[in-house]
Amino acid sequence: MNNCHLLLLLIGALLLPINNVLALPHPMQARQAPATGDVAGGTWQIVGNTGVNAMHIFVSAPNKIILIDKLENNLIKQASGQPAVSTEWNLDTNEIRILDVTSDTFCSAGSWLGNGTMLHTGGDNGNNFLAAGQQTLRFYDPAVGNWVEMVGLMGSKRWYPTMLSLANGKALILGGSIGGTGLNRAEINNPTYTIWPPTDGVTPDPEVQFQFLIDTLPYNLYVMLHLVPNSENKNLIFVLANQQSILYDLDTATIVKNYPTIAVQRTYPQTGTSLILPLYPETNYLTEVMVCGGQKEFEILSVAEASCGRMDLNAAEPVWTMDDFGGLPRVMPDSVILVNGEILFLNGAGTGYAGFRKGKKTNPLWANDNPTFNPVLYNPTTKIYAKMNPSSIARMYHSVATLTPDGSVFVAGSNPQGNVETEVLYPTEYRAEIYSPPYLLTGASRPTIVTIDGYIVNQGRIPITYGNTASIVVQLPKTEVISFTAAIIHHGFVTHSTHMGQRYVGLVVKEAYSDATTADQYILTIELPPNPTIIAPGPSYIYVLNNNFPCVKGVEVLLN
């Protein structure tokens, strides 16, 4: 980030009201509940109250999650007295801290920059309390601990854009509309993209026209974007909107490849989810995209889609291979890549589409209904789904899920109405849950990472470099059968079933030997990814596993 932005972040830190710096227990703080479930299907535990509905979410530190809502009548207040829009969740204490937001964040997007700052942009019109958010840039630096905003900076309005971390450490900001809508329309469509930071580091570059976002109307909001690995350090982007997908060279602004259409609508408001399946060096980073769920019709009573498509992006003749999505129809699902490389699909509805309820709360017609309480666990190697134990909470429109550093999944949100409502069938949902997958529940010993390249863990981000090796010291009882593997995971930014930038890369363990100087300690040498197209620069987490059981906690690194 340029010096101007850094100065603004530092000024913002100095101006923070003291009541926003402290963790604030408050009347809405829910008690931690007993866990439900079992080893075979995982457990669920309600762990507290988020204070704001979790429309957007990202992991900001090893024990912190940032939640962002839209402007609505949440009970907790900012220092200004207006309802809170954003909070920080402490994974260790299950407490929240209120953050300051001065612009409208409704239906925005986010992405990590290579320097370790979260870039967030877009939103809605604002009101007497909040400035318009559509052209606002927001920065979250964990070292500062609060939002710093540049209102009105960007060249055009964006509502429902998508963002993506790039190989050059910058972020792509693509598409959206210039105003709120269900289905997008030509008169409010924003078929452009821009990149931040700009060429001169300060003034936004001219926006680039993107015909694909005209061709895919009206289903071109929160499009699916993924950085595609390559050996030339190009910013090659997989883009899917409506039922169409392309490979786009961002550096030359050209379409490299047109992929086959996928059956059924998969983008907002008939929302599915997508991810790049885990990448492994032993397969030369074979790159497969997976797109799951969605909806055939823009119709409230329509049953959601029970299918997934999977495609090798570099095949000579790419083709979508379809399956039944574990047999559960699901619109608005979330896809979370777990530490062992399996995929957890959760949240969503069995009927309808993304949108608010129709009519009054005394006689509502829900745009999405029949919540899908059961997650399914997908093994990308065997291509088998396993139905997991259900949550007790409906997680539909405006709900989220993310992997946490300890290998569990944080689940929050759901607000399928335009404002805070509690006395209805599907209320504004403030309860947060932790889902513990089976791999955390067997009682097997889990490695503990002690140092990486001599840096003691949990004392700040550890710098690592592409193409290098790293030395990792772990503790594990020497009575265990030892079979170490490792991975690096970027958790991304999550909203509206879109996991922007989420990435899993397996790491080669070149060497692992017992440390003769310290009991129950091992020294591992791992190979880091060869270039930034495999996993983008910025903050990620390194995990070590033993016999497929993840370490006690992943370690945050800054990869450059």
Side-chain angles (χ1 to χ4, degrees):
M1 181 172 294
N2 61 68
N3 292 335
C4 174
H5 293 162
L6 181 59
L7 178 62
L8 283 170
L9 289 173
L10 294 174
I11 291 171
L14 294 173
L15 294 177
L16 293 182
I18 189 66
N19 68 324
N20 275 11
V21 176
L22 303 176
L24 294 175
H26 55 83
M28 294 180 64
Q29 192 72 48
R31 290 185 178 181
Q32 185 164 304
T36 62
D38 55 30
V39 174
T43 62
W44 290 90
Q45 185 176 30
I46 298 171
V47 292
N49 198 295
T50 58
V52 300
N53 180 64
M55 185 184 298
H56 319 79
I57 191 173
F58 62 93
V59 176
S60 63
N63 66 338
K64 303 286 177 61
I65 288 175
I66 304 299
L67 304 101
I68 310 165
D69 195 4
K70 69 183 180 72
L71 173 65
E72 57 187 335
N73 194 30
N74 294 307
L75 294 182
I76 60 171
K77 310 297 182 183
Q78 298 189 64
S80 65
Q82 74 169 37
V85 174
S86 181
T87 58
E88 174 190 82
W89 178 276
N90 188 309
L91 287 163
D92 295 334
T93 65
N94 296 326
E95 293 179 311
I96 62 170
R97 181 170 68 92
I98 300 169
L99 304 180
D100 293 323
V101 174
T102 65
S103 63
D104 194 336
T105 55
F106 186 18
C107 296
S108 44
S111 185
W112 287 101
L113 297 172
N115 67 359
T117 300
M118 169 58 66
L119 177 70
H120 183 256
T121 193
D124 208 354
N125 293 320
N127 67 355
N128 292 334
F129 297 105
L130 292 183
Q134 302 103 320
Q135 293 171 260
T136 295
L137 278 187
R138 307 172 193 91
F139 301 91
Y140 186 89
D141 182 343
V144 173
N146 215 326
W147 291 103
V148 174
E149 298 164 272
M150 295 182 172
V151 175
L153 177 68
M154 302 307 290
S156 65
K157 295 180 178 182
R158 296 189 190 272
W159 190 87
Y160 277 109
T162 307
M163 293 177 63
L164 183 66
S165 300
L166 300 175
N168 57 10
K170 298 185 178 187
L172 172 66
I173 305 168
L174 182 142
S177 61
I178 63 172
T181 185
L183 288 176
N184 203 3
R185 309 186 304 277
E187 60 268 26
I188 61 171
N189 189 31
N190 186 345
T192 69
Y193 64 82
T194 189
I195 294 172
W196 190 270
T199 304
D200 68 2
V202 179
T203 307
D205 291 328
E207 296 181 332
V208 180
Q209 290 293 311
F210 193 40
Q211 181 65 35
F212 182 79
L213 292 180
I214 296 173
D215 298 340
T216 52
L217 277 167
Y219 301 102
N220 66 352
L221 300 176
Y222 277 142
V223 302
M224 298 171 181
L225 289 179
H226 301 290
L227 181 64
V228 177
N230 64 88
S231 60
E232 300 173 83
N233 285 346
K234 292 182 177 180
N235 285 299
L236 297 178
I237 310 297
F238 172 82
V239 191
L240 187 150
N242 205 318
Q243 296 170 255
Q244 302 174 46
S245 55
I246 59 173
L247 181 64
Y248 187 75
D249 187 332
L250 200 63
D251 301 325
T252 62
T254 56
I255 295 176
V256 177
K257 183 183 296 185
N258 287 284
Y259 292 109
T261 58
I262 188 170
V264 180
Q265 304 294 344
R266 309 284 175 167
T267 44
Y268 184 91
Q270 288 153 250
T271 304
T273 190
S274 74
L275 67 152
I276 295 293
L277 291 174
L279 302 168
Y280 296 99
E282 53 266 34
T283 62
N284 197 28
Y285 302 107
L286 173 69
T287 306
E288 294 182 275
V289 68
M290 193 168 184
V291 180
C292 295
Q295 180 60 276
K296 293 183 181 69
E297 302 174 89
F298 186 57
E299 214 292 311
I300 287 175
L301 300 179
S302 181
V303 175
E305 181 63 16
S307 75
C308 286
R310 178 169 166 168
M311 180 170 60
D312 178 354
L313 295 182
N314 295 317
E317 296 184 7
V319 62
W320 290 104
T321 301
M322 308 302 294
D323 66 32
D324 71 349
F325 201 9
L328 293 177
R330 205 183 297 249
V331 63
M332 302 177 298
D334 280 287
S335 52
V336 178
I337 308 176
L338 301 180
V339 180
N340 64 356
E342 294 185 322
I343 317 300
L344 186 74
F345 293 103
L346 70 166
N347 297 345
T351 55
Y353 54 83
F356 293 136
R357 71 151 200 260
K358 316 298 179 185
K360 298 180 180 180
K361 71 176 186 178
T362 54
N363 187 29
L365 178 62
W366 298 97
N368 37 95
D369 206 342
N370 298 305
T372 311
F373 293 104
N374 290 87
V376 292
L377 193 60
Y378 177 73
N379 185 314
T381 302
T382 64
K383 302 181 181 180
I384 292 174
Y385 294 90
K387 189 176 180 181
M388 297 287 102
N389 289 326
S391 168
S392 61
I393 299 175
R395 303 284 187 187
M396 297 190 293
Y397 193 42
H398 292 155
S399 62
V400 292
T402 186
L403 181 71
T404 73
D406 72 359
S408 64
V409 178
F410 183 87
V411 186
S414 193
N415 192 22
Q417 52 250 323
N419 210 322
V420 173
E421 297 283 4
T422 55
E423 303 301 321
V424 290
L425 177 62
Y426 301 127
T428 305
E429 189 54 73
Y430 294 103
R431 290 173 293 175
E433 294 174 285
I434 292 289
Y435 175 74
S436 296
Y439 66 13
L440 297 182
L441 304 172
T442 64
S445 296
R446 299 167 59 191
T448 298
I449 301 176
V450 180
T451 64
I452 296 180
D453 285 343
Y455 291 92
I456 298 173
V457 303
N458 298 324
Q459 294 187 6
R461 293 169 174 165
I462 295 174
I464 59 174
T465 307
Y466 293 101
N468 282 359
T469 60
S471 177
I472 302 180
V473 175
V474 301
Q475 290 182 338
L476 186 70
K478 291 185 178 177
T479 55
E480 297 291 315
V481 176
I482 303 299
S483 179
F484 287 123
T485 55
I488 184 168
I489 302 176
H490 181 73
H491 295 177
F493 178 98
V494 184
T495 187
H496 292 76
S497 304
T498 309
H499 290 238
M500 302 178 192
Q502 178 181 215
R503 185 78 108 202
Y504 181 108
V505 180
L507 302 174
V508 173
V509 179
K510 290 186 64 177
E511 189 177 32
Y513 61 90
S514 175
D515 183 352
T517 68
T518 307
D520 297 335
Q521 191 157 285
Y522 294 83
I523 301 174
L524 283 59
T525 302
I526 63 167
E527 291 182 349
L528 298 172
N531 72 58
T533 72
I534 308 300
I535 185 168
S540 290
Y541 285 77
I542 284 182
Y543 296 85
V544 172
L545 304 89
N546 181 46
N547 290 301
N548 226 28
F549 298 113
C551 53
V552 173
K553 198 167 192 178
V555 175
E556 189 179 24
V557 297
L558 190 66
L559 180 58
N560 276 292

